[in-house]
Amino acid sequence: MKVSKRIADLPPYLFVQISRKIAEKKARGERVISFAIGDPDIPTPEHVIQRLCREARVPANHRYPETYGLPEFRQAIAAWYRRRFGVVLDPETEVLPLIGSKEGVGHIAFCYIDPGDVALVPDPAYPVYSISTMFAGGQPYFMPLTAENHFLPDLDRIPAGVAGRAKLIWINYPNNPTGAVAGLDFFERVVAFARRHDLVVCHDAPYTEVAFDGYRPVSFLQVPGAMDVGLEFHSLSKSYNMTGWRVGMAAGNAQIRDALMRFKSNLDSGIPQAIQYAAIEALEGDQGCIGEHNAVYQRRRDRIIEVLREIGLGVMPPMASLYIWARIPPGYTSADYATLLLDGAGVVVTPGTGYGQCGEGYIRVSLTVADSDIDEGLARLRDWARRTGGIGPRTT
Ligand SMILES: *Cc1c(COP(=O)(O)O)cnc(C)c1O
């Protein structure tokens, strides 16, 4: 049996070596502490779970949902966008519930990319943007995100010929994996660029509610003209610790939303209704949980950064997202360095190259680790640095 070219062409799993080492350590009964996964460890808020349990008993919720979601859920999404960002959306035509935002992020390529078309994709980035482009027969053109440019793509450096062939541009702020944030001025430049080249803008924004030091991330849709060119993907996953329930949304331009809806309606049958009611509860219920979670993440961020700096990494504290993007000392590859931490301290981090070539020179450290594991992980890193005399630039 021969698999399709799109499956055969999937890039190889980048962390083979590290995964093998983790498995070996576990087989020997050693405990590894993982800072590699971006999945909130704090439970879903109690009032949301209670609503889910109640709705699970309602027979109407046992039947097929509609692809485009319950009207109450679409209205709740529109009302949330208005309260949170001052963005006014028509719940009938400008909002689309998703089975987690990854579902929409993965499917939108099929609505705009024909074989040979280009999608502009950041590097480093969440891998789904480039892989879905390839699944649709298109080619990703990678826009480097560098520290010098505050991890924003430099739109002026995209060759005119590439921009001319492009159908779609991906952006993601607050950013995974760099933790960078973008302001309205950047989004304005993206709108102008999209107008000039007739592009669809896809803004992946699951981290707007995970922010620190009083910072409030903005929505792409706040910028004049954004509704003409773009769709924003959002999610309950990171805001309300609901990764396991699979519920998110797209909001923005009605035509783009309609294309995605038509594609989806031929593939899935929507989100289980009890989960849609739980999502309404999350969006409309007490929002105190957001500040509580962010206080926990901020405390973790500061504790982890202190130790990363001690062991010789260069770190800027992120203002939002669940990640610390740390510069490793010169002379190592990201993968070498991650292996060093695993061998020396039994601590797992993600090599920056897992998110693209421009991630070389960095590791990603996640804040979604239980506090007791953070205690142990940081103690191990300190102890390791003490034993080895700390690690500076590699000299051989
Ligand atoms: C977590 C994450 C998602 C997916 O979120 P779901 O709504 O759970 O599917 C999408 N994009 C980025 C950048 C993420 O980090």
Side-chain angles (χ1 to χ4, degrees), residues 19-334:
S19 302
R20 197 186 311 123
K21 287 205 163 175
I22 295 172
E24 283 167 13
K25 279 183 178 287
K26 284 186 175 160
R28 287 199 300 268
E30 290 174 38
R31 205 164 90 83
V32 298
I33 305 284
S34 179
F35 290 87
I37 297 160
D39 184 356
D41 58 300
I42 309 169
T44 306
E46 182 56 31
H47 62 284
V48 175
I49 296 175
Q50 275 181 9
R51 180 76 184 268
L52 178 64
C53 293
R54 235 174 31 244
E55 298 293 347
R57 299 196 177 280
V58 177
N61 294 338
H62 301 174
R63 310 191 65 191
Y64 280 125
E66 297 281 7
T67 301
Y68 43 81
L70 288 164
E72 300 93 303
F73 184 30
R74 278 183 275 117
Q75 283 153 15
I77 292 167
W80 180 79
Y81 256 87
R82 185 178 207 142
R83 278 195 308 276
R84 174 62 181 84
F85 300 114
V87 169
V88 178
L89 297 165
D90 178 347
E92 295 303 313
T93 60
E94 294 172 333
V95 170
L96 183 63
L98 297 170
I99 312 169
S101 62
K102 184 179 187 179
E103 181 257 305
V105 166
H107 285 150
I108 192 74
F110 293 90
C111 305
Y112 288 94
I113 300 289
D114 282 318
D117 286 345
V118 169
L120 306 175
V121 174
D123 175 1
Y126 187 61
V128 183
Y129 315 143
S130 56
I131 297 205
S132 60
T133 303
M134 293 188 277
F135 275 169
Q139 291 167 17
Y141 173 85
F142 291 105
M143 307 179 287
L145 305 186
T146 61
E148 297 74 59
N149 207 40
H150 311 284
F151 301 107
L152 300 173
D154 186 347
L155 302 174
D156 297 333
R157 299 190 65 164
I158 298 166
V162 172
R165 278 170 60 214
K167 302 288 287 295
L168 203 152
I169 180 170
W170 278 104
I171 50 174
N172 160 227
Y173 294 96
N175 186 258
N176 174 12
T178 68
V181 297
L184 295 174
D185 54 332
F186 171 71
F187 290 151
E188 278 167 14
R189 292 202 296 280
V190 172
V191 168
F193 183 79
R195 283 229 165 96
R196 194 152 60 239
H197 298 289
D198 193 22
L199 298 176
V200 168
V201 177
C202 291
H203 183 224
D204 189 19
Y207 296 102
T208 65
E209 306 317 291
V210 186
F212 316 117
D213 307 316
Y215 177 71
R216 293 280 273 169
V218 290
S219 161
F220 174 70
L221 302 179
Q222 283 173 246
V223 162
M227 289 294 295
D228 299 332
V229 295
L231 196 65
E232 184 162 85
F233 294 89
H234 214 297
S235 176
L236 287 278
S237 288
K238 313 311 182 355
S239 311
Y240 301 101
N241 303 336
M242 290 174 71
T243 49
W245 304 115
R246 309 312 303 134
V247 56
M249 62 275 205
N253 180 270
Q255 255 176 289
I256 307 173
R257 178 263 185 204
D258 186 58
L260 182 56
M261 213 273 286
R262 288 187 353 218
F263 185 83
K264 270 171 63 62
S265 65
N266 285 286
L267 283 184
D268 69 60
S269 301
I271 307 159
Q273 283 185 181
I275 290 175
Q276 294 188 56
Y277 283 111
I280 294 172
E281 185 68 37
L283 293 175
E284 305 207 315
D286 183 7
Q287 301 297 300
C289 55
I290 293 195
E292 287 163 26
H293 304 154
N294 288 345
V296 171
Y297 295 134
Q298 184 175 323
R299 205 161 53 236
R300 291 176 180 176
R301 175 196 71 169
D302 295 341
R303 293 186 57 210
I304 294 171
I305 286 179
E306 188 186 330
V307 175
L308 294 180
R309 285 178 173 159
E310 268 174 41
I311 69 168
L313 296 169
V315 191
M316 288 279 285
M319 291 211 288
S321 88
L322 292 171
Y323 312 103
I324 296 167
W325 188 238
R327 188 116 187 81
I328 61 175
Y332 300 92
T333 66
S334 299

